[in-house]
Amino acid sequence: MEYNYEGIGKRIATERKEYCHLGQDELLLKLSQNYGIGMSRNTLSAIENGKYYHYNIDLLFALCELFDCELGYLLCEYDEKHRVIADIKEITGLESDVIKIILNMKNSFLKLSILNELLQDNYFLAIIDLLYMADYHQKKGEELNKIEDNIKLVHDTAETPEERTKLKKRYDDYRTEHRLHDAKVLENRYRLTVAFARLLDERYEALKEIDTSSLEARWKQEHVKKGNSILF
């Protein structure tokens, strides 16, 4: 296998500076005292500049221990410090920090069992879908708001009444669509509160006596002026 020695050197330099917060002389001292590896400053500079091609396996394993990483990461075979995280990230698309949180849960049977249950719970899956829809409509509303602002600017500088009329119609059309997305955001926010309440009711018997219909009624009263169609 051919290795990118420049990439390896940059990775070693980055880990030395950002992870260990060590200067070159400090790293050389640690390698000497803790691992019995003697190396000149010129050699380390050559390594970090990608101009060194004769790595000692003892040096590589010592650096892996210092940087808390696996050999494949140091050799730029993957971009996460541990292969398992790199593999899970590639398969699932999850961020490495999220994967680490999940992996750390294996030390707590209760936390892991709750996560397993949630990922199989229909209400929890509905909550994820509703969050996605709320975010989607929120972002669409923000995009339309920018378009409306641009139309306003052009409208104010239009030279003829005909141009202003056309721009006013365009603005009204976008504004109508914007209001629909705002209504969808509110609708999904309401549906989220219901889904969360029902998820809790399902998990904890003590909460089954809570009348969620009162929450629904109050929410409808507070948002009646919005003219939203609420379906759940």
Side-chain angles (χ1 to χ4, degrees):
M1 180 177 181
E2 292 186 5
Y3 288 103
N4 179 351
Y5 291 99
E6 185 178 350
I8 295 171
K10 286 182 179 178
R11 181 150 289 178
I12 291 172
T14 298
E15 290 297 314
R16 171 179 65 78
K17 297 172 188 175
E18 298 183 7
Y19 181 75
C20 289
H21 307 290
L22 296 173
Q24 286 188 333
D25 291 334
E26 292 171 306
L27 177 60
L28 290 172
L29 185 61
K30 280 186 175 293
L31 289 172
S32 175
Q33 291 181 341
N34 299 343
Y35 303 96
I37 297 174
M39 184 191 304
S40 70
R41 201 168 191 273
N42 287 339
T43 300
L44 179 56
S45 294
I47 288 173
E48 294 187 349
N49 289 317
K51 296 177 181 178
Y52 187 83
Y53 315 105
H54 309 290
Y55 284 91
N56 181 297
I57 192 65
D58 291 333
L59 169 63
L60 290 173
F61 281 125
L63 290 173
C64 285
E65 187 172 319
L66 281 171
F67 300 155
D68 186 26
C69 68
E70 294 175 2
L71 185 58
Y73 169 75
L74 203 63
L75 298 178
C76 298
E77 293 176 2
Y78 41 86
D79 293 329
E80 298 296 333
K81 286 195 170 188
H82 301 280
R83 180 60 180 265
V84 64
I85 294 178
D87 288 344
I88 294 172
K89 184 176 182 179
E90 183 177 355
I91 294 168
T92 65
L94 293 172
E95 295 294 331
S96 56
D97 288 344
V98 174
I99 297 168
K100 289 174 187 175
I101 291 170
I102 296 172
L103 291 175
N104 287 335
M105 284 185 182
K106 69 182 180 181
N107 299 321
S108 170
F109 173 77
L110 180 57
K111 287 182 180 179
L112 198 58
S113 65
I114 290 172
L115 181 63
N116 274 316
E117 290 172 10
L118 284 175
L119 291 174
Q120 298 176 71
D121 189 285
N122 288 332
Y123 282 123
F124 183 76
L125 296 177
I127 287 168
I128 293 176
D129 287 338
L130 290 168
L131 283 168
Y132 166 78
M133 292 305 299
D135 282 358
Y136 168 78
H137 290 295
Q138 178 74 24
K139 286 182 173 58
K140 291 298 291 184
E142 291 170 357
E143 291 172 8
L144 290 167
N145 191 57
K146 292 178 181 178
I147 294 173
E148 291 160 17
D149 287 343
N150 289 334
I151 293 174
K152 281 182 183 178
L153 289 173
V154 177
H155 177 274
D156 292 341
T157 58
E159 296 181 356
T160 66
E162 290 78 9
E163 286 181 288
R164 285 194 289 274
T165 300
K166 289 180 181 179
L167 289 167
K168 178 65 167 59
K169 185 180 184 308
R170 280 185 62 198
Y171 176 85
D172 290 342
D173 290 341
Y174 281 115
R175 191 63 195 154
T176 298
E177 184 181 354
H178 192 166
R179 281 195 289 265
L180 289 173
H181 285 293
D182 285 349
K184 284 293 183 181
V185 171
L186 289 171
E187 177 183 331
N188 282 292
R189 285 175 63 180
Y190 161 68
R191 296 172 73 185
L192 276 165
T193 63
V194 176
F196 270 115
R198 292 181 182 174
L199 173 64
L200 290 172
D201 287 348
E202 185 180 61
R203 287 187 62 82
Y204 305 107
E205 291 186 8
L207 296 180
K208 287 187 176 180
E209 296 179 358
I210 293 177
D211 181 11
T212 56
S213 63
S214 64
L215 295 174
E216 297 173 16
R218 185 165 67 251
W219 193 95
K220 289 177 181 178
Q221 289 173 357
E222 292 173 354
H223 296 82
V224 67
K225 293 183 180 179
K226 301 291 182 181
N228 299 330
S229 174
I230 306 299
L231 298 173
F232 192 83

